[in-house]
Amino acid sequence: MSAIPMLETADERIAKNRRKVAEYRIWGQGLRGTLLLLVQVVGTVWGAIFTQVASMVLLSAVCAFVHNNFYAFDVELSGHQIVMTPMSFLLVFRCSNSYGRYWDGRTLLGGMVFHCREIVAKACCYSPNDNCGELFVQNVKRYTMVTAKLINRTVSQHWDKVAADREKRKKKGDGWKWGFRDLVTYLTVPEYDDLKCVERNHPLLALQWLRQEVLNAHVLQVLSPLQEQEISSSVGELQLVWNGMAKITATPLPFPWLHVSRMILYVFLVTLVPPAVTKLNWVAVPFILVLSFLLFGLVRIGDEMEDPFGNDINDFDLLAIEKTIEGDLQLLDMLREKRFKKSDKRMPV
């Protein structure tokens, strides 16, 4: 009896597509690699801009048909060229701004991984080999992991929550509900209940737990004042990273800029069709196809890079980052245990 195949979840499908797209670097530079790159659809802008490109191609085909069968119009390019300069400036600025936000987001994401490692590494190095030290390390490790998971969830689901809350205001939905079932293994029952009562800014609660744990360790003399200050400083840096990631997610490019750039782009392409048909006749159809793909593709690239913390294929793989952090924290804890085992063997009887 053959096994029943398991259905692929949405997260698994996104992760699979992300791995597939990320492998373009190993496709090679030869004919095969070039063909793979050109025929690739997953992860490209084709799906998002197909409607716009198709509409411009249809418009150019209609104009060519009218020009050849009904009225042979003659339109010059002189008036159309006026729109080219502002459109170019707006598109270039948009792509440059979006790339800056994308790179800032990657830097902040790397900072989150670094500070999570630093917090647990310092806790493992500074804590003594006793029950209080062991309890302190385990609490710091789980609070740090919860903080990383909540930061990723907050920034990746921000606009999903906004959309769900809007539907709730329209009385068409129940509103956004945060899911915390994957955090049950990290939290106690009272902590889990406290987390469910918080409506927004959930990482702040986890950071507060982390700060309180470090302060309690200082009070119980598990940490010296200097050690407590160093770990608290790393916790503060982690909060700054979260603030930076939330700023990128919640503060998009001003809407008037986006609105004007889209309007000028459509005006540019629509007014280009009659002069192109006048000069090129039916050749204007493939010409408009290529040009509209390039321009709408640039706009779409700017849209994707503007907010890199999401569930799109080209967004950062936050789940992989979480697994990396979790594995690193477990490694640091294991190294601490090995260090103390070696020290116990060296103690004189």
Side-chain angles (χ1 to χ4, degrees):
M1 183 177 179
S2 60
I4 300 176
M6 298 294 292
L7 295 177
E8 191 177 44
T9 64
D11 290 339
E12 291 173 345
R13 184 168 60 255
I14 292 174
K16 178 182 177 181
N17 290 332
R18 280 174 174 165
R19 290 193 298 270
K20 181 179 179 181
V21 172
E23 290 175 353
Y24 77 92
R25 286 184 170 274
I26 63 175
W27 291 348
Q29 302 296 327
L31 179 61
R32 181 178 179 274
T34 303
L35 291 176
L36 284 174
L37 185 65
L38 292 177
V39 302
Q40 182 71 18
V41 176
V42 176
T44 65
V45 298
W46 265 121
I49 67 173
F50 177 79
T51 303
Q52 295 95 319
V53 174
S55 63
M56 299 310 304
V57 172
L58 179 60
L59 176 62
S60 62
V62 171
C63 286
F65 180 78
V66 172
H67 181 267
N68 285 280
N69 295 279
F70 296 97
Y71 177 68
F73 50 80
D74 186 8
V75 182
E76 297 293 335
L77 281 170
S78 56
H80 166 267
Q81 293 173 346
I82 301 175
V83 189
M84 188 178 300
T85 300
M87 185 206 65
S88 302
F89 172 76
L90 291 171
L91 283 181
V92 170
F93 177 85
R94 175 69 193 283
C95 290
S96 176
N97 178 270
S98 298
Y99 178 77
R101 292 164 63 94
Y102 184 90
W103 188 248
D104 288 343
R106 184 61 187 90
T107 303
L108 290 168
L109 197 58
M112 183 184 72
V113 177
F114 172 79
H115 292 300
C116 287
R117 291 169 177 165
E118 278 289 288
I119 291 170
V120 176
K122 290 177 181 178
C124 290
C125 291
Y126 297 159
S127 59
N129 186 17
D130 54 24
N131 292 334
C132 290
E134 177 65 23
L135 181 61
F136 167 68
V137 170
Q138 296 306 318
N139 285 339
V140 167
K141 188 174 73 171
R142 64 189 184 90
Y143 288 150
T144 302
M145 194 66 228
V146 169
T147 302
K149 284 180 172 290
L150 290 176
I151 289 175
N152 288 345
R153 189 165 307 174
T154 301
V155 298
S156 65
Q157 299 179 0
H158 172 79
W159 291 108
D160 294 334
K161 179 181 183 302
V162 171
D165 291 343
R166 180 183 299 172
E167 293 298 315
K168 180 181 180 180
R169 290 194 296 269
K170 294 180 180 178
K171 299 182 180 180
K172 295 182 180 180
D174 298 329
W176 183 257
K177 294 181 180 179
W178 295 99
F180 302 111
R181 291 184 179 180
D182 59 324
L183 301 179
V184 173
T185 56
Y186 301 97
L187 300 175
T188 62
V189 175
E191 291 169 348
Y192 185 74
D193 292 337
D194 291 341
L195 183 61
K196 290 193 296 184
C197 294
V198 177
E199 296 184 359
R200 52 182 297 181
N201 293 335
H202 300 95
L204 192 61
L205 178 61
L207 287 166
Q208 190 62 22
W209 289 336
L210 196 52
R211 286 193 175 94
Q212 191 64 48
E213 184 65 28
V214 175
L215 180 60
N216 291 340
H218 171 56
V219 172
L220 296 175
Q221 297 183 349
V222 175
L223 298 177
S224 67
L226 181 59
Q227 292 170 343
E228 184 268 338
Q229 183 179 0
E230 288 189 6
I231 299 180
S232 296
S233 176
S234 296
V235 175
E237 293 293 332
L238 184 58
Q239 182 169 347
L240 285 176
V241 167
W242 167 46
N243 292 341
M245 295 169 69
K247 180 184 70 174
I248 291 177
T249 300
T251 312
L253 197 68
F255 178 72
W257 191 285
L258 178 65
H259 177 256
V260 172
S261 62
R262 294 290 173 86
M263 288 291 294
I264 292 181
L265 175 59
Y266 277 103
V267 169
F268 176 83
L269 288 174
V270 170
T271 56
L272 176 63
V273 171
V277 171
T278 300
K279 299 293 183 181
L280 303 175
N281 207 335
W282 283 103
V283 181
V285 176
F287 171 75
I288 293 296
L289 169 64
V290 174
L291 185 62
S292 58
F293 170 75
L294 293 175
L295 295 179
F296 285 123
L298 285 174
V299 172
R300 181 58 187 173
I301 290 172
D303 292 341
E304 290 201 5
M305 289 194 301
E306 185 179 12
D307 181 12
F309 306 112
N311 297 317
D312 295 331
I313 294 176
N314 293 303
D315 289 335
F316 299 137
D317 194 348
L318 300 182
L319 293 178
I321 295 295
E322 289 180 11
K323 292 180 181 179
T324 299
I325 294 175
E326 188 172 19
D328 291 344
L329 301 192
Q330 291 176 353
L331 175 62
L332 291 170
D333 190 19
M334 182 185 66
L335 293 175
R336 175 179 180 272
E337 293 179 358
K338 287 185 176 181
R339 177 168 60 88
F340 284 131
K341 286 181 181 179
K342 290 182 180 179
S343 62
D344 291 340
K345 292 179 180 180
R346 294 173 184 173
M347 292 179 61
V349 179

